[in-house]
Amino acid sequence: MKSTHLYILYGVLALAVVLLFASNILFGSVSIPFDVFADILSGKGAEHEKWGVIITASRFPQAVTALLAGAALAVSGLMLQTLFNNPLADPSILGVSSGAGLGVALVMLLFGINGVHLGLSGYLSVVAGAMVGAMVVLGLLILFSMIVKSNVMLLVVGIMVGYIASSVISLLNFYATESGVVSFVMWGMGDFSGVSNRNLLYFVIFILSGLFISVMLIKPLNALLLGERYSRNLGVSLTRARIIILLVTGLLTAIVTAFCGPVSFIGLAVPHIARLLLGSSNHRQLLPVTVLLGAVVSLLCNLLTVVIGKGTVIPLNVITPLMGAPVIIYVIVNKKKIAYFN
């Protein structure tokens, strides 16, 4: 893509992020007049205290969470697709999200820790459980990748690992308390509203750290596209690169899964949309576009969960498959017409 067209794409995506971010704050299950919204933003909303609390304590952190979670999941999907040279790789299908979910289930169901009600310590426990679960699955995948040479078979292994994790979660649900089951089921529906202002800073730090490291991995990611021989000529250690990519992917997936639940399809579909827009797999262009596009899709999905005028909110994982599945079907049908991993 020409540099002029690339900058236009950056500008359009950045504008979409800003507009959708503002829309996520303006629209919600509770209707707030625009003039009141403007007064609150300008600091003149003292007489609108209740609406002010809704905007500052609920909608703003939710919009920030959606923006960063979408970017994190999209980048995780991109790195896994490049690492495994598989267009169907993403944290959900490869079982990474299931592993993180199992870690959360152990914390919430077995040990009775609910991150929502126990503040920072509870959140850190849930995040630690998700991180350990995600890293265990990623470790198994990298081990099997050394044994199983077929990308399709490795994908099947990931799906089977996900099934095993889901079975253990079901067993934990069977023996858990009623309140624990309800809490875990609600978490499993996916939700960007679980991060409060009190915990938002920690979420932002974790995600931005992972995204920063992923930007530093642009050269190794491009080297992976060229193969082992070319990578050695470029001075890139593929073994080291794979380990770092897996660690960063595990961090981003675990953080998002712990705070927001297992959000589906964003990590799988967004990298493909980015490649279609760019017509290239060069990560110097692809990774920034994926970050912006992930934020756009996530903010849009979060906005669509709100049934305006009805006062209700649809679960997030009802919306994401409706947007992501058609993209994957298109990719599968037109695979021969689309240049991936080159």
Side-chain angles (χ1 to χ4, degrees), residues 91-92 95-110 126-135 137 162 164-170 172-173 184 187-188 250 253-259 261-263:
S92 298
V96 179
S97 293
S98 296
L102 176 58
V104 173
L106 289 171
V107 171
M108 295 179 67
L109 300 178
L110 189 61
V126 172
V127 168
M131 184 68 179
V132 171
M135 295 311 298
V137 172
I164 293 173
S166 298
S167 297
V168 177
I169 291 173
S170 298
L172 290 172
N173 272 307
F184 185 76
W187 170 85
T253 303
I255 297 300
V256 174
T257 304
F259 283 92
V263 181

Side-chain angles (χ1 to χ4, degrees), residues 175-189:
Y175 287 105
T177 62
E178 182 179 350
S179 61
V181 172
V182 171
S183 177
F184 185 76
V185 169
M186 294 300 295
W187 170 85
M189 291 182 179

Side-chain angles (χ1 to χ4, degrees), residues 127-164:
V127 168
M131 184 68 179
V132 171
M135 295 311 298
V136 168
V137 172
L138 284 170
L140 289 174
L141 288 176
I142 198 65
L143 175 63
F144 279 109
S145 69
M146 299 175 183
I147 302 173
V148 180
K149 300 303 180 181
S150 169
N151 289 327
V152 175
M153 290 299 101
L154 185 61
L155 185 65
V156 172
V157 170
I159 294 173
M160 293 302 103
V161 171
Y163 276 127
I164 293 173

Side-chain angles (χ1 to χ4, degrees), residues 184-203:
F184 185 76
V185 169
M186 294 300 295
W187 170 85
M189 291 182 179
D191 187 8
F192 291 133
S193 65
V195 183
S196 64
N197 279 324
R198 180 178 55 182
N199 302 297
L200 182 62
L201 178 61
Y202 301 98
F203 181 82

